[in-house]
Amino acid sequence: MNKIEEIFKAWAIMFNPDDAQSVLAAERIQICEGCDHKRTTPFIHCGLCGCALKAKIYSPVVGSCPKGKWDSVDVENELRSRNDRYNELKK
């Protein structure tokens, strides 16, 4: 997925996230809150990639943080999602 497609998908998800996307976004923003690359002017954004964090945290791309700070929560979310799908198939 190219960056423009990723940005548009993240904004679309932001407006109507499912429960799993909301949980992942909450975990990602917690990481961003303590990051030295977070900028607040003229809007809250990543100082490395320039993306607005309010949408960036909804990116469907695993590992989309330019510093890799989201990798652990992205992997955990992916495992949780696979486990949920597996449990649905078992029913």
Side-chain angles (χ1 to χ4, degrees):
M1 173 179 315
N2 69 43
K3 283 306 238 184
I4 298 218
E5 185 179 3
E6 177 187 354
I7 290 166
F8 278 105
K9 285 186 178 192
W11 279 92
I13 293 167
M14 181 191 76
F15 287 111
N16 191 25
D18 62 27
D19 290 341
Q21 292 163 330
S22 293
V23 168
L24 179 60
E27 292 172 348
R28 285 175 169 178
I29 198 63
Q30 282 183 326
I31 293 168
C32 293
E33 290 300 330
C35 182
D36 54 339
H37 298 290
K38 177 185 171 193
R39 302 292 180 261
T40 57
T41 55
F43 57 92
I44 299 171
H45 66 283
C46 174
L48 294 176
C49 67
C51 291
L53 290 178
K54 74 183 208 175
K56 174 88 173 172
I57 58 174
Y58 290 98
S59 172
V61 176
V62 172
S64 59
C65 171
K67 280 296 202 183
K69 293 184 176 192
W70 292 351
D71 291 354
S72 62
V73 295
D74 285 356
V75 168
E76 183 179 309
N77 181 67
E78 185 65 27
L79 291 173
R80 194 170 42 236
S81 175
R82 288 182 186 185
N83 189 42
D84 290 347
R85 285 193 303 263
Y86 174 75
N87 288 332
E88 284 297 317
L89 291 172
K90 285 183 11 180
K91 290 181 181 179

